[in-house]
Amino acid sequence: CLWTLRAIVKETLKDAVLPRAGVLKKLLAPLDAVLEGFYNAILFHHFDSHHYTSPYSEAANNLISFIDLLEALLASRTELELPLRCQRILFLKVSYVLNLISSSIPYVIKKKFILLLKKCVLYKSREDAKSGSLFLQTPSLCEDMLALSNAVLQVVNLTWLNQIPLDGKSSYFGSSEAAPGDDPQGAADQTVLRALSLVVLKALEFKVHNSATEAEIK
């Protein structure tokens, strides 16, 4: 079901003839509450169980399919003037994703989530892309980006970054020690390192631009 829904969304976005906004609204509006409930249920879950120890398990595969669907919903957001809740949920409840990234789920799933967060912080609405402005003009997107930025900065201010591995084995963000037998030069996953750094920098940038007082900026 996840795969089918994702495939329909992606194919709709590719189609130059279809009235994409109408098709997407007709498809996603009846599923809006269902997808939010599913987001809550699948991500607010104890992922330390044995079902998730292997990236090839059915449970892990379902989670990967759901990440792919979230990515398609993010891409489809540009088509609707007022985004649906299921297209905003990743921003508004990003704390679920942040918790998952620092949990013991397989590395391949953590990496997919981190790269999805990177797409979120780089996302622009069609109006913002046309205007060429460095600052977001769309109210709903401003609200969503502020929620995401606040959540990211809140966990970064704690020990979240130190819990994130930079490969499938032993390197951790902020760690300068290589495990015995590891190649110290090639251990860290540079893609994840860059994506994480960008997420933190963009969250900080957005928060600074949208802070009311100098004290809040500091």
Side-chain angles (χ1 to χ4, degrees):
C1 287
L2 289 169
W3 186 91
T4 303
L5 185 55
R6 170 182 163 256
I8 292 169
V9 170
K10 288 189 81 172
E11 288 305 314
T12 303
L13 291 174
K14 285 181 194 173
D15 199 314
V17 181
L18 278 175
R20 288 178 293 208
V23 171
L24 287 167
K25 200 163 188 178
K26 195 173 181 182
L27 172 70
L28 296 175
L31 295 172
D32 207 20
V34 176
L35 286 171
E36 182 175 358
F38 196 54
Y39 181 95
N40 295 339
I42 197 170
L43 298 189
F44 193 66
H45 185 70
H46 296 293
F47 285 95
D48 298 328
S49 73
H50 66 279
H51 296 297
Y52 294 91
T53 50
S54 165
Y56 306 107
S57 67
E58 186 181 356
N61 196 41
N62 288 341
L63 189 53
I64 288 170
S65 295
F66 190 57
I67 297 169
D68 291 339
L69 176 59
L70 288 173
E71 192 175 337
L73 289 173
L74 176 66
S76 71
R77 183 174 172 150
T78 53
E79 298 299 328
L80 300 184
E81 195 173 328
L82 290 172
L84 296 166
R85 181 80 180 175
C86 65
Q87 295 169 310
R88 301 180 66 191
I89 194 73
L90 185 56
F91 293 85
L92 300 176
K93 294 189 178 180
V94 73
S95 57
Y96 289 17
V97 171
L98 298 173
N99 289 337
L100 271 180
I101 289 171
S102 60
S103 74
S104 61
I105 57 171
Y107 179 73
V108 65
I109 300 177
K110 294 184 189 213
K111 183 170 181 175
K112 280 184 77 73
F113 269 127
I114 290 166
L115 295 178
L116 182 58
L117 282 182
K118 177 187 165 186
K119 288 187 177 180
C120 286
V121 298
L122 293 176
Y123 177 81
K124 282 193 174 183
S125 69
R126 184 169 286 172
E127 292 76 17
D128 289 322
K130 278 181 187 171
S131 72
S133 170
L134 293 174
F135 307 109
L136 301 177
Q137 311 293 324
T138 315
S140 62
L141 186 55
C142 278
E143 184 188 332
D144 293 356
M145 282 298 292
L146 195 55
L148 184 143
S149 299
N150 284 334
V152 167
L153 294 175
Q154 196 173 358
V155 294
V156 167
N157 206 28
L158 302 171
T159 57
W160 183 74
L161 284 175
N162 297 330
Q163 301 168 48
I164 300 172
L166 289 179
D167 65 11
K169 298 172 189 171
S170 56
S171 290
Y172 281 76
F173 197 102
S175 169
S176 57
E177 293 181 17
D182 275 0
D183 172 12
Q185 299 299 316
D189 184 333
Q190 298 299 312
T191 304
V192 168
L193 182 58
R194 283 194 298 269
L196 271 174
S197 301
L198 185 65
V199 167
V200 175
L201 285 170
K202 281 288 184 183
L204 196 57
E205 179 190 40
F206 193 80
K207 180 67 176 170
V208 166
H209 285 311
N210 290 274
S211 293
T213 65
E214 194 175 334
E216 195 179 4
I217 291 171
K218 285 181 180 176

